[in-house]
Tab-separated table of all heavy atoms in Angstrom:
chain	number	residue	atom	x	y	z
A	3	ALA	N	57.078	-143.192	-31.409
A	3	ALA	CA	57.372	-143.464	-29.997
A	3	ALA	C	56.071	-143.624	-29.205
A	3	ALA	O	55.973	-144.498	-28.330
A	3	ALA	CB	58.224	-142.341	-29.411
A	4	LYS	N	55.087	-142.794	-29.517
A	4	LYS	CA	53.789	-142.913	-28.838
A	4	LYS	C	53.122	-144.241	-29.178
A	4	LYS	O	52.512	-144.884	-28.315
A	4	LYS	CB	52.877	-141.747	-29.221
A	4	LYS	CG	53.260	-140.429	-28.578
A	4	LYS	CD	52.286	-139.324	-28.964
A	4	LYS	CE	52.684	-137.991	-28.358
A	4	LYS	NZ	51.736	-136.921	-28.713
A	5	GLN	N	53.249	-144.642	-30.437
A	5	GLN	CA	52.685	-145.934	-30.841
A	5	GLN	C	53.356	-147.070	-30.068
A	5	GLN	O	52.679	-147.984	-29.588
A	5	GLN	CB	52.874	-146.153	-32.351
A	5	GLN	CG	51.945	-145.339	-33.218
A	5	GLN	CD	52.221	-145.533	-34.692
A	5	GLN	OE1	53.378	-145.585	-35.120
A	5	GLN	NE2	51.155	-145.632	-35.474
A	6	HIS	N	54.652	-146.998	-29.939
A	6	HIS	CA	55.386	-148.024	-29.187
A	6	HIS	C	54.934	-148.044	-27.726
A	6	HIS	O	54.729	-149.116	-27.145
A	6	HIS	CB	56.891	-147.764	-29.284
A	6	HIS	CG	57.707	-148.730	-28.499
A	6	HIS	ND1	57.862	-150.050	-28.879
A	6	HIS	CD2	58.385	-148.582	-27.330
A	6	HIS	CE1	58.612	-150.665	-27.984
A	6	HIS	NE2	58.945	-149.798	-27.039
A	7	LYS	N	54.764	-146.871	-27.146
A	7	LYS	CA	54.319	-146.768	-25.746
A	7	LYS	C	52.940	-147.409	-25.566
A	7	LYS	O	52.705	-148.135	-24.598
A	7	LYS	CB	54.277	-145.305	-25.309
A	7	LYS	CG	53.866	-145.110	-23.876
A	7	LYS	CD	53.783	-143.641	-23.508
A	7	LYS	CE	53.228	-143.493	-22.097
A	7	LYS	NZ	52.874	-142.112	-21.791
A	8	ILE	N	52.050	-147.161	-26.504
A	8	ILE	CA	50.707	-147.752	-26.437
A	8	ILE	C	50.791	-149.270	-26.500
A	8	ILE	O	50.113	-149.982	-25.750
A	8	ILE	CB	49.809	-147.186	-27.556
A	8	ILE	CG1	49.453	-145.727	-27.242
A	8	ILE	CG2	48.547	-148.025	-27.724
A	8	ILE	CD1	48.755	-145.007	-28.374
A	9	LEU	N	51.638	-149.800	-27.383
A	9	LEU	CA	51.788	-151.253	-27.500
A	9	LEU	C	52.357	-151.860	-26.214
A	9	LEU	O	51.907	-152.922	-25.771
A	9	LEU	CB	52.676	-151.601	-28.695
A	9	LEU	CG	52.045	-151.380	-30.059
A	9	LEU	CD1	53.080	-151.562	-31.160
A	9	LEU	CD2	50.865	-152.321	-30.266
A	10	VAL	N	53.328	-151.179	-25.612
A	10	VAL	CA	53.915	-151.669	-24.356
A	10	VAL	C	52.867	-151.673	-23.249
A	10	VAL	O	52.731	-152.651	-22.497
A	10	VAL	CB	55.141	-150.812	-23.961
A	10	VAL	CG1	55.584	-151.113	-22.537
A	10	VAL	CG2	56.286	-151.042	-24.934
A	11	GLU	N	52.100	-150.599	-23.158
A	11	GLU	CA	51.044	-150.525	-22.137
A	11	GLU	C	49.987	-151.595	-22.358
A	11	GLU	O	49.501	-152.203	-21.398
A	11	GLU	CB	50.405	-149.135	-22.139
A	11	GLU	CG	51.305	-148.051	-21.588
A	11	GLU	CD	50.725	-146.654	-21.757
A	11	GLU	OE1	49.652	-146.502	-22.406
A	11	GLU	OE2	51.349	-145.702	-21.256
A	12	LEU	N	49.642	-151.842	-23.620
A	12	LEU	CA	48.664	-152.881	-23.938
A	12	LEU	C	49.175	-154.241	-23.477
A	12	LEU	O	48.437	-155.010	-22.843
A	12	LEU	CB	48.364	-152.901	-25.437
A	12	LEU	CG	47.462	-154.026	-25.933
A	12	LEU	CD1	46.067	-153.898	-25.340
A	12	LEU	CD2	47.400	-154.029	-27.446
A	13	LYS	N	50.434	-154.538	-23.765
A	13	LYS	CA	51.003	-155.820	-23.352
A	13	LYS	C	51.027	-155.950	-21.831
A	13	LYS	O	50.761	-157.026	-21.294
A	13	LYS	CB	52.406	-155.993	-23.927
A	13	LYS	CG	52.399	-156.294	-25.404
A	13	LYS	CD	53.800	-156.492	-25.953
A	13	LYS	CE	53.729	-156.755	-27.442
A	13	LYS	NZ	55.058	-156.923	-28.032
A	14	GLN	N	51.340	-154.868	-21.132
A	14	GLN	CA	51.350	-154.901	-19.665
A	14	GLN	C	49.951	-155.167	-19.115
A	14	GLN	O	49.781	-155.967	-18.199
A	14	GLN	CB	51.898	-153.589	-19.102
A	14	GLN	CG	53.382	-153.403	-19.300
A	14	GLN	CD	53.869	-152.024	-18.895
A	14	GLN	OE1	53.098	-151.068	-18.779
A	14	GLN	NE2	55.181	-151.905	-18.681
A	15	GLU	N	48.975	-154.486	-19.669
A	15	GLU	CA	47.586	-154.688	-19.226
A	15	GLU	C	47.130	-156.114	-19.505
A	15	GLU	O	46.464	-156.742	-18.692
A	15	GLU	CB	46.651	-153.687	-19.905
A	15	GLU	CG	46.757	-152.276	-19.397
A	15	GLU	CD	46.074	-152.094	-18.049
A	15	GLU	OE1	45.127	-152.841	-17.730
A	15	GLU	OE2	46.503	-151.190	-17.311
A	16	GLN	N	47.479	-156.627	-20.677
A	16	GLN	CA	47.098	-157.992	-21.020
A	16	GLN	C	47.774	-158.999	-20.090
A	16	GLN	O	47.158	-159.992	-19.693
A	16	GLN	CB	47.446	-158.294	-22.478
A	16	GLN	CG	46.526	-157.597	-23.466
A	16	GLN	CD	46.926	-157.845	-24.905
A	16	GLN	OE1	48.098	-158.022	-25.223
A	16	GLN	NE2	45.941	-157.833	-25.798
A	17	ALA	N	49.013	-158.726	-19.719
A	17	ALA	CA	49.716	-159.608	-18.779
A	17	ALA	C	49.035	-159.578	-17.412
A	17	ALA	O	48.902	-160.615	-16.750
A	17	ALA	CB	51.178	-159.196	-18.661
A	18	GLU	N	48.587	-158.392	-16.989
A	18	GLU	CA	47.885	-158.272	-15.708
A	18	GLU	C	46.568	-159.045	-15.735
A	18	GLU	O	46.232	-159.758	-14.789
A	18	GLU	CB	47.610	-156.804	-15.383
A	18	GLU	CG	46.891	-156.598	-14.077
A	18	GLU	CD	46.553	-155.143	-13.807
A	18	GLU	OE1	47.236	-154.250	-14.332
A	18	GLU	OE2	45.578	-154.909	-13.063
A	19	ILE	N	45.840	-158.936	-16.825
A	19	ILE	CA	44.583	-159.664	-16.967
A	19	ILE	C	44.841	-161.164	-16.940
A	19	ILE	O	44.125	-161.923	-16.271
A	19	ILE	CB	43.847	-159.246	-18.265
A	19	ILE	CG1	43.320	-157.812	-18.128
A	19	ILE	CG2	42.699	-160.207	-18.577
A	19	ILE	CD1	42.805	-157.222	-19.423
A	20	GLN	N	45.877	-161.600	-17.650
A	20	GLN	CA	46.216	-163.026	-17.664
A	20	GLN	C	46.579	-163.508	-16.263
A	20	GLN	O	46.173	-164.602	-15.845
A	20	GLN	CB	47.378	-163.290	-18.631
A	20	GLN	CG	47.699	-164.749	-18.800
A	20	GLN	CD	46.541	-165.519	-19.415
A	20	GLN	OE1	45.934	-165.071	-20.388
A	20	GLN	NE2	46.227	-166.670	-18.879
A	21	HIS	N	47.302	-162.686	-15.526
A	21	HIS	CA	47.670	-163.030	-14.146
A	21	HIS	C	46.411	-163.197	-13.286
A	21	HIS	O	46.294	-164.166	-12.527
A	21	HIS	CB	48.586	-161.953	-13.571
A	21	HIS	CG	48.957	-162.158	-12.151
A	21	HIS	ND1	49.787	-163.185	-11.739
A	21	HIS	CD2	48.606	-161.489	-11.030
A	21	HIS	CE1	49.933	-163.128	-10.425
A	21	HIS	NE2	49.230	-162.106	-9.976
A	22	LEU	N	45.474	-162.264	-13.417
A	22	LEU	CA	44.228	-162.365	-12.655
A	22	LEU	C	43.450	-163.615	-13.049
A	22	LEU	O	42.896	-164.311	-12.189
A	22	LEU	CB	43.373	-161.113	-12.877
A	22	LEU	CG	43.895	-159.830	-12.237
A	22	LEU	CD1	43.072	-158.635	-12.694
A	22	LEU	CD2	43.893	-159.937	-10.726
A	23	GLN	N	43.413	-163.923	-14.336
A	23	GLN	CA	42.706	-165.128	-14.782
A	23	GLN	C	43.355	-166.380	-14.195
A	23	GLN	O	42.656	-167.310	-13.797
A	23	GLN	CB	42.693	-165.202	-16.308
A	23	GLN	CG	41.731	-164.213	-16.933
A	23	GLN	CD	41.793	-164.208	-18.446
A	23	GLN	OE1	42.843	-164.398	-19.039
A	23	GLN	NE2	40.648	-163.955	-19.075
A	24	ASN	N	44.676	-166.399	-14.132
A	24	ASN	CA	45.372	-167.538	-13.538
A	24	ASN	C	45.043	-167.671	-12.051
A	24	ASN	O	44.849	-168.782	-11.544
A	24	ASN	CB	46.878	-167.415	-13.738
A	24	ASN	CG	47.290	-167.579	-15.182
A	24	ASN	OD1	46.550	-168.129	-15.989
A	24	ASN	ND2	48.463	-167.083	-15.525
A	25	ILE	N	44.964	-166.546	-11.355
A	25	ILE	CA	44.615	-166.565	-9.931
A	25	ILE	C	43.205	-167.123	-9.746
A	25	ILE	O	42.974	-167.973	-8.885
A	25	ILE	CB	44.718	-165.149	-9.329
A	25	ILE	CG1	46.187	-164.729	-9.217
A	25	ILE	CG2	44.035	-165.078	-7.965
A	25	ILE	CD1	46.389	-163.285	-8.834
A	26	TYR	N	42.263	-166.664	-10.558
A	26	TYR	CA	40.883	-167.133	-10.439
A	26	TYR	C	40.771	-168.611	-10.790
A	26	TYR	O	40.005	-169.343	-10.182
A	26	TYR	CB	39.940	-166.302	-11.303
A	26	TYR	CG	39.842	-164.864	-10.860
A	26	TYR	CD1	39.858	-163.823	-11.766
A	26	TYR	CD2	39.759	-164.534	-9.511
A	26	TYR	CE1	39.781	-162.497	-11.352
A	26	TYR	CE2	39.688	-163.216	-9.102
A	26	TYR	CZ	39.695	-162.208	-10.019
A	26	TYR	OH	39.626	-160.903	-9.611
A	27	ARG	N	41.544	-169.044	-11.777
A	27	ARG	CA	41.536	-170.457	-12.160
A	27	ARG	C	42.060	-171.324	-11.009
A	27	ARG	O	41.484	-172.366	-10.687
A	27	ARG	CB	42.391	-170.658	-13.413
A	27	ARG	CG	42.228	-172.010	-14.060
A	27	ARG	CD	42.998	-172.108	-15.381
A	27	ARG	NE	42.534	-171.127	-16.359
A	27	ARG	CZ	43.295	-170.133	-16.841
A	27	ARG	NH1	44.547	-170.003	-16.459
A	27	ARG	NH2	42.798	-169.291	-17.718
A	28	ALA	N	43.133	-170.877	-10.364
A	28	ALA	CA	43.696	-171.619	-9.234
A	28	ALA	C	42.707	-171.648	-8.071
A	28	ALA	O	42.542	-172.685	-7.412
A	28	ALA	CB	45.016	-170.993	-8.797
A	29	ALA	N	42.036	-170.535	-7.823
A	29	ALA	CA	41.046	-170.479	-6.743
A	29	ALA	C	39.894	-171.440	-7.026
A	29	ALA	O	39.379	-172.092	-6.110
A	29	ALA	CB	40.520	-169.055	-6.575
A	30	ARG	N	39.504	-171.544	-8.284
A	30	ARG	CA	38.421	-172.463	-8.650
A	30	ARG	C	38.840	-173.906	-8.365
A	30	ARG	O	38.059	-174.697	-7.829
A	30	ARG	CB	38.072	-172.297	-10.122
A	30	ARG	CG	36.911	-173.165	-10.546
A	30	ARG	CD	36.439	-172.818	-11.931
A	30	ARG	NE	35.186	-173.487	-12.203
A	30	ARG	CZ	34.989	-174.251	-13.259
A	30	ARG	NH1	35.930	-174.406	-14.160
A	30	ARG	NH2	33.826	-174.831	-13.437
A	31	GLN	N	40.076	-174.243	-8.711
A	31	GLN	CA	40.566	-175.593	-8.446
A	31	GLN	C	40.598	-175.871	-6.938
A	31	GLN	O	40.261	-176.970	-6.502
A	31	GLN	CB	41.965	-175.785	-9.045
A	31	GLN	CG	41.984	-175.798	-10.559
A	31	GLN	CD	41.113	-176.897	-11.135
A	31	GLN	OE1	41.061	-178.003	-10.633
A	31	GLN	NE2	40.406	-176.584	-12.208
A	32	GLU	N	40.987	-174.870	-6.166
A	32	GLU	CA	41.003	-175.030	-4.706
A	32	GLU	C	39.595	-175.251	-4.161
A	32	GLU	O	39.390	-176.063	-3.261
A	32	GLU	CB	41.638	-173.814	-4.051
A	32	GLU	CG	43.132	-173.736	-4.243
A	32	GLU	CD	43.742	-172.498	-3.623
A	32	GLU	OE1	43.117	-171.890	-2.736
A	32	GLU	OE2	44.857	-172.141	-4.036
């Protein structure tokens, strides 16, 4: 269960990073 929790948290963090990268990419285009 702890292993599963770590994987879920990792995916959430990676999604947040991807979201920030998308924001920065859009700002660069602007």
Side-chain angles (χ1 to χ4, degrees):
K4 286 182 182 181
Q5 285 177 319
H6 178 71
K7 182 182 174 192
I8 288 171
L9 288 172
V10 168
E11 289 173 354
L12 174 64
K13 286 181 181 179
Q14 288 173 341
E15 287 284 333
Q16 287 177 329
E18 180 183 335
I19 290 170
Q20 186 63 45
H21 177 69
L22 289 172
Q23 286 176 326
N24 291 340
I25 289 171
Y26 295 137
R27 192 174 299 116
R30 183 170 191 234
Q31 291 301 320
E32 288 178 20

